[in-house]
Amino acid sequence: MGVSLRSRWVLLPFTLALGAMTLYFLRLQISHEELRPPEPRPEGPVYKNIGRIVAPPLPEYFPLAANAHSPSDLPPIPSWNRPPVEHVPETTRLYIGFTRFWPLLQQVVVSYITAGWPPEDIYVVENTGKMDANKRNQLTIQNPFYLDYHRLTKILGVNIITTPSLQTFAQLQNLYLSEAINNNLTYYFWSHMDVAVHSHEDKEPFKSLYMAAVDVIRETQKPDYLRDENGHKQEWGIQYFAYDWLSLVNVQTFSKVGGWDSMVGYYGTDCDMYSRLGMNDYAQPVQDAGRVHDVTTSLDDLEVLYRRRPKNQRRRDTSDSQARSNNSTLPSPNQAYLDSTEEDARGAEGYDSLRAILEQMAQDKRDDKYRNSWQLRQNGGEGEPYYYDPDGFEKALQMTIEVGVKIEQEKWGHKGCDIKAGGLREGDQWKVEHDSTFD
């Protein structure tokens, strides 16, 4: 039986009253929850729920060096890249800074050596903040700040300068400049550690990467270098080889503009420095000495940089082996490798293969959304001297980077690297309002 219209009107007040009472009791419950005192905080620190994945052990990327007792146990430098027996008259000091991830440092050092750079001219600047722990071999390879001090100095033959504390990128650059000034250098080279280099083996006339870099020095020293048709001679500030992945620095001009702004510690500090060079009319030419690949991983075996190939069994010369058997000196631990290989031909298939691999490694880095992910591949070292939590280090670093970027933006009132293009001049620092890039 249906409900009449009159009956529906009779039920309406009851329905409204029931709804009002429900809302009232809900409000009372909510008020009660709001008045309930919060749960007391446990005494002592409350720890974050951190689930850390332990990174797999790093492999050995250069077994020949691991087996070597001295530099003579390594393969010879490719004959076409060997530096002159007598050092060139020019000073060719090369600084390479290091903070984290040993495999990339080892790779860049070996690549420069095999491209002809004299090991005694290479200075690794250990910027780990670990004092003498690496020199004393107190860090394990899973520690992000580990480097093999013995291998660098005794096997590869390069130099190490250790900073007393962790430096920002800008501070590290000023350290290079200070070292150059204190050693009466008029110029110096510096390189990023996350690159791998090699000579242009397929170009004629051939020059090793090292000798091509020396030619750039010689060019800058000519009386008419950068002199225009009116007789005006422009000074130069920096010579770029693939941007500043490898660069040649003029000590005098860098000093004249005040060096690097240490308040802008990381990203943006290059924009600031190179813009100030431009504002002061210092030239920044682009040069080409060889291939410089920006990479995030190491080659599986750095032996390929020595450009050797398996020896043809039918042409194998046993005279060297016979001579060694008649010699009382102990054989090299890598003798079997040296006996079974020979130098490849310059520009041969081995070079094409090496270049293709490095180009793919560089492409992989360009495709990586976080291009510096290599900095996070080690997270061990707990309990070792001067230990710093790897995740905390990365978080603090990103915060420091962010602050530096904001300082650089406030300094010029501009966001972006095109500082000079916005009409800004030397002396405008900290004196201009925000421009349209802040809109």
Side-chain angles (χ1 to χ4, degrees):
M1 181 176 64
V3 180
S4 68
L5 184 59
R6 183 176 180 179
S7 298
R8 291 177 182 175
W9 281 107
V10 171
L11 291 174
L12 180 60
F14 174 77
T15 304
L16 292 174
L18 181 62
M21 291 178 66
T22 302
L23 290 173
Y24 175 73
F25 283 113
L26 284 174
R27 185 175 179 181
L28 284 178
Q29 184 177 2
I30 293 172
S31 299
H32 179 72
E33 293 290 337
E34 291 175 348
L35 293 174
R36 180 183 297 174
E39 293 289 335
R41 180 184 175 89
E43 292 186 4
V46 178
Y47 292 95
K48 300 176 182 178
N49 184 18
I50 299 175
R52 177 178 295 172
I53 300 175
V54 178
L58 290 178
E60 174 57 70
Y61 291 100
F62 197 9
L64 291 176
N67 295 332
H69 301 312
S70 71
S72 62
D73 293 330
L74 297 178
I77 304 301
S79 59
W80 54 85
N81 281 337
R82 289 174 198 162
V85 176
E86 184 175 344
H87 197 286
V88 297
E90 295 79 12
T91 302
T92 54
R93 182 173 294 200
L94 169 65
Y95 294 108
I96 304 174
F98 168 79
T99 298
R100 290 184 286 178
F101 201 53
W102 155 251
L104 283 187
L105 175 66
Q106 178 177 230
Q107 176 172 259
V108 69
V109 169
V110 173
S111 71
Y112 274 111
I113 292 174
T114 54
W117 216 285
E120 64 270 19
D121 287 357
I122 298 176
Y123 286 74
V124 170
V125 181
E126 184 201 348
N127 180 41
T128 61
K130 306 308 172 191
M131 303 295 183
D132 61 349
N134 274 309
K135 186 176 183 179
R136 293 177 178 274
N137 195 30
Q138 294 175 331
L139 305 185
T140 59
I141 195 169
Q142 290 305 112
N143 191 313
F145 306 98
Y146 165 90
L147 62 76
D148 193 327
Y149 203 99
H150 172 81
R151 186 176 300 184
L152 286 173
T153 58
K154 303 302 182 183
I155 305 302
L156 297 176
V158 304
N159 308 280
I160 298 179
I161 299 172
T162 301
T163 61
S165 62
L166 183 71
Q167 308 285 295
T168 67
F169 178 84
Q171 290 170 330
L172 198 62
Q173 292 297 325
N174 282 331
L175 176 61
Y176 301 163
L177 184 59
S178 174
E179 283 285 316
I181 293 171
N182 292 335
N183 286 277
N184 299 314
L185 303 181
T186 56
Y187 52 82
Y188 62 89
F189 293 91
W190 77 272
S191 172
H192 289 244
M193 62 159 283
D194 52 339
V195 300
V197 306
H198 59 78
S199 303
H200 288 305
E201 292 188 26
D202 52 352
K203 285 192 174 183
E204 299 293 346
F206 173 78
K207 286 284 183 74
S208 70
L209 180 142
Y210 174 68
M211 289 307 300
V214 170
D215 281 350
V216 173
I217 296 175
R218 293 171 178 171
E219 181 184 0
T220 65
Q221 295 177 336
K222 293 178 180 178
D224 291 330
Y225 180 66
L226 295 179
R227 191 183 303 277
D228 62 23
E229 61 274 10
N230 298 320
H232 172 70
K233 182 175 173 60
Q234 185 182 19
E235 292 187 75
W236 64 276
I238 186 170
Q239 307 276 338
Y240 297 115
F241 302 84
Y243 188 51
D244 65 2
W245 295 338
L246 169 63
S247 56
L248 175 65
V249 170
N250 185 330
V251 173
Q252 185 179 46
T253 52
F254 266 55
S255 298
K256 284 182 178 179
V257 301
W260 295 71
D261 186 346
S262 58
M263 296 295 182
V264 186
Y266 295 93
Y267 294 149
T269 197
D270 55 341
C271 302
D272 173 80
M273 182 66 192
Y274 302 149
S275 293
R276 286 187 285 121
L277 288 175
M279 292 172 183
N280 287 276
D281 196 34
Y282 293 134
Q284 303 173 59
V286 176
Q287 304 288 355
D288 180 18
R291 298 298 295 269
V292 183
H293 303 272
D294 182 33
V295 297
T296 187
T297 55
S298 174
L299 293 160
D300 291 337
D301 191 336
L302 299 183
E303 174 268 335
V304 298
L305 294 170
Y306 288 84
R307 301 284 290 103
R308 296 181 70 79
R309 64 188 176 192
K311 188 177 290 185
N312 188 321
Q313 296 291 332
R314 291 174 298 177
R315 295 190 297 107
R316 179 172 297 181
D317 184 1
T318 60
S319 59
D320 288 344
S321 299
Q322 185 64 39
R324 280 189 294 274
S325 67
N326 296 329
N327 197 310
S328 59
T329 59
L330 292 175
S332 165
N334 295 320
Q335 200 59 61
Y337 165 81
L338 296 173
D339 286 344
S340 64
T341 60
E342 61 186 0
E343 183 176 86
D344 198 1
R346 176 169 65 86
E349 290 183 6
Y351 169 72
D352 293 335
S353 174
L354 173 63
R355 187 178 65 179
I357 292 171
L358 289 173
E359 287 176 349
Q360 184 58 56
M361 288 165 59
Q363 184 60 51
D364 291 343
K365 184 172 185 177
R366 289 190 291 270
D367 294 340
D368 190 344
K369 292 181 180 179
Y370 185 60
R371 63 189 307 274
N372 287 330
S373 59
W374 54 270
Q375 297 176 343
L376 308 177
R377 291 183 189 159
Q378 295 161 287
N379 56 16
E382 189 169 0
E384 297 173 7
Y386 308 103
Y387 173 76
Y388 200 110
D389 180 84
D391 294 337
F393 181 91
E394 178 62 21
K395 184 174 182 178
L397 175 62
Q398 294 305 319
M399 294 170 68
T400 306
I401 289 172
E402 184 178 349
V403 170
V405 170
K406 291 180 178 178
I407 291 173
E408 189 258 349
Q409 293 171 350
E410 290 296 326
K411 177 179 180 178
W412 295 105
H414 178 81
K415 290 183 177 182
C417 203
D418 56 338
I419 299 171
K420 187 171 178 286
L424 292 163
R425 300 175 296 177
E426 179 68 72
D428 287 342
Q429 299 95 310
W430 300 105
K431 297 178 181 178
V432 294
E433 299 288 350
H434 290 177
D435 65 14
S436 60
T437 58
F438 282 82
D439 296 342

